[in-house]
Amino acid sequence: MIGRFAAGTPAGVVARRALAWLIGMGGALAIFAGFVIFLGKDPVAVIVATVKGAFGSPLGISRTIGRSIPLLLLSAGLIPAFRARFWNIGLNGCMLMGAVGATGVALYVPTGTSELTGLLMFVGAVVCGAVWALIPGLLRLQFQTPEIIVSLLLNYVAQRIVDFLVFSAWKNPAGRGFPGTANFEQTLWLSRWDVTKLVLPSWLPLPDGWGPPLQVWMRGLGNSNIHTGLAVAVIGVIAIWLMMNRTIWGLRIDIAGQGARASRYLGLSTGWVIVLVSVIGGGFAGIAGWSEVAGLNHRLEAGISQELGYTAILVVALGALRPGLTAGASVLVAGLLIGGSQLQVQFSLPVAMAGVLLWAILYGVMNAQNLAERWARPGTRTPAVPAAPDPGTPGVATVVAEKD
């Protein structure tokens, strides 16, 4: 029995990885519990309330999925850039500029049909987001300017542009003094998924008695926050997975991430890689801005980004830069953000406690990955170089003679 979990065996590797994740996540929860106890609250009750607020009701699930749509798009756009070691943290500004591009088309571009206008809104968001992301990329190529500083500062520039538009240039004159543009025409809104009209198919393999309660639960979602942008986000994540795992472009991006020496050795220019990942990241962030203004708010507002561009960095770190894991991390983080909003109401805790829980989880994941890598080959050591045999040793002379 013990031999099955010995070092180096498949069961032993799995057991050690499970132990590493148990230690890492246990440490994360312990850190969060320490903060909660310091504030005089029950940590178990706080965590249970967070989970219930996100996934314990139809309304909570609807809000969680709605919040995960921009996170899916932003994090998917970050994966190629971070795997190429191009540290663009300016997707918050790209999302804002994408929202500006979509709003400008919706308000000021006369077209004959709503379908054409909706398509132009999408294209305008992608172009604005991609162009904004190209700025730190081109500066990196031409002047070796650190993209972290440039992209971070561009976030504030984009926010000031949005403020100018919603408070002045594009402000709705009929808005009673509130900042924001006029609402889009309803034909330009992304359709929301009214699950109350869905009927469970008879062939769905559900246990006996589960059908009617599930149908009632679905009706509780009502006309939810889930809109067409979810389908676009899922397609985007699949596209990133295919590009990174099934195309030569993904291979070249990964090679560029190994460093300049590896790229030069293989004859690969990293310049076009930086341009490519910049366009991809900015374009996806622009789509995220489009999904917010066309799917939920139906106009441009000052706080449209909700700082989700920074949250996406946490998401890709939790997902280990893998599209599938990143998609799951997007839903998890969205749920914690939604559930964390209940802490202020139920426990009089600051809303920032949800952020403390998120960063504690990230800390736990990093520790778990580090332990899993260190324990991947437990007990293995660099083999010592054997000493040369003595020709006078019995048997050695015979072997040498046979080789001759």
Side-chain angles (χ1 to χ4, degrees), residues 314-390:
L314 169 64
V315 171
V316 295
L318 291 175
L321 301 181
R322 299 178 182 177
L325 296 177
T326 299
S330 298
V331 178
L332 172 64
V333 171
L336 293 177
L337 292 175
I338 296 299
S341 62
Q342 305 295 320
L343 301 182
Q344 188 175 22
V345 177
Q346 298 185 23
F347 300 96
S348 299
L349 290 174
V351 181
M353 286 304 297
V356 174
L357 178 57
L358 287 175
W359 288 106
I361 291 176
L362 176 61
Y363 175 76
V365 168
M366 293 175 63
N367 283 336
Q369 291 175 348
N370 186 28
L371 287 175
E373 291 176 359
R374 294 180 62 182
W375 292 350
R377 297 182 180 273
T380 57
R381 298 178 180 177
T382 304
V385 178
D390 186 1

Side-chain angles (χ1 to χ4, degrees), residues 82-130:
F82 281 12
R83 285 175 66 161
R85 295 184 179 272
F86 179 71
W87 311 112
N88 181 11
I89 60 174
L91 293 197
N92 212 58
C94 297
M95 180 179 176
L96 290 171
M97 297 308 296
V100 168
T103 302
V105 172
L107 296 180
Y108 300 106
V109 175
T111 56
T113 62
S114 59
E115 291 80 7
L116 180 58
T117 305
L119 178 60
L120 290 177
M121 288 175 61
F122 181 86
V123 173
V126 172
V127 170
C128 289

Side-chain angles (χ1 to χ4, degrees), residues 22-37 43 47 357 360-361 363-364:
L22 181 63
I23 293 175
M25 298 310 297
L29 293 178
I31 293 174
F32 179 73
F35 277 96
V36 175
I37 293 174
I47 294 176
L357 178 57
I361 291 176
Y363 175 76

Side-chain angles (χ1 to χ4, degrees), residues 101-363:
T103 302
V105 172
L107 296 180
Y108 300 106
V109 175
T111 56
T113 62
S114 59
E115 291 80 7
L116 180 58
T117 305
L119 178 60
L120 290 177
M121 288 175 61
F122 181 86
V123 173
V126 172
V127 170
C128 289
V131 170
W132 199 255
L134 269 176
I135 298 176
L138 294 178
L139 289 177
R140 159 87 177 268
L141 288 178
Q142 295 297 322
F143 305 105
Q144 298 299 314
T145 308
E147 66 274 11
I148 295 178
I149 298 176
V150 176
S151 58
L152 177 63
L153 294 178
L154 285 175
N155 287 337
Y156 298 100
V157 176
Q159 185 60 61
R160 297 289 80 80
I161 292 175
V162 172
D163 291 342
F164 168 73
L165 294 176
V166 300
F167 283 95
S168 179
W170 291 357
K171 184 177 179 180
N172 183 13
R176 298 181 180 179
F178 291 98
T181 65
N183 287 341
F184 303 163
E185 294 184 8
Q186 193 166 356
T187 55
L188 301 178
W189 298 2
L190 295 180
S191 58
R192 298 195 182 186
W193 296 358
D194 189 357
V195 296
T196 60
K197 299 179 181 179
L198 296 179
V199 178
L200 294 176
S202 58
W203 50 262
L204 193 65
L206 292 175
D208 293 337
W210 281 42
L214 183 58
Q215 192 74 57
V216 172
W217 182 86
M218 290 172 59
R219 290 173 182 171
L221 285 172
N223 193 5
S224 63
N225 289 343
I226 308 172
H227 53 78
T228 311
L230 177 61
V232 177
V234 172
I235 293 173
V237 173
I238 295 174
I240 292 295
W241 182 87
L242 289 173
M243 184 190 74
M244 298 303 300
N245 295 279
R246 293 293 185 269
T247 69
I248 190 64
W249 300 337
L251 177 61
R252 289 177 175 176
I253 289 173
D254 285 335
I255 292 174
Q258 299 302 316
R261 294 182 62 184
S263 300
R264 286 195 301 266
Y265 179 79
L266 296 174
L268 175 65
S269 173
T270 58
W272 75 269
V273 174
I274 292 176
V275 172
L276 176 63
V277 298
S278 298
V279 170
I280 292 175
F284 271 71
I287 297 173
W290 161 80
S291 70
E292 288 297 289
V293 295
L296 290 179
N297 297 281
H298 306 140
R299 66 172 189 161
L300 181 64
E301 298 175 348
I304 197 72
S305 71
Q306 304 178 66
E307 308 298 337
L308 294 179
Y310 300 116
T311 309
I313 300 175
L314 169 64
V315 171
V316 295
L318 291 175
L321 301 181
R322 299 178 182 177
L325 296 177
T326 299
S330 298
V331 178
L332 172 64
V333 171
L336 293 177
L337 292 175
I338 296 299
S341 62
Q342 305 295 320
L343 301 182
Q344 188 175 22
V345 177
Q346 298 185 23
F347 300 96
S348 299
L349 290 174
V351 181
M353 286 304 297
V356 174
L357 178 57
L358 287 175
W359 288 106
I361 291 176
L362 176 61
Y363 175 76

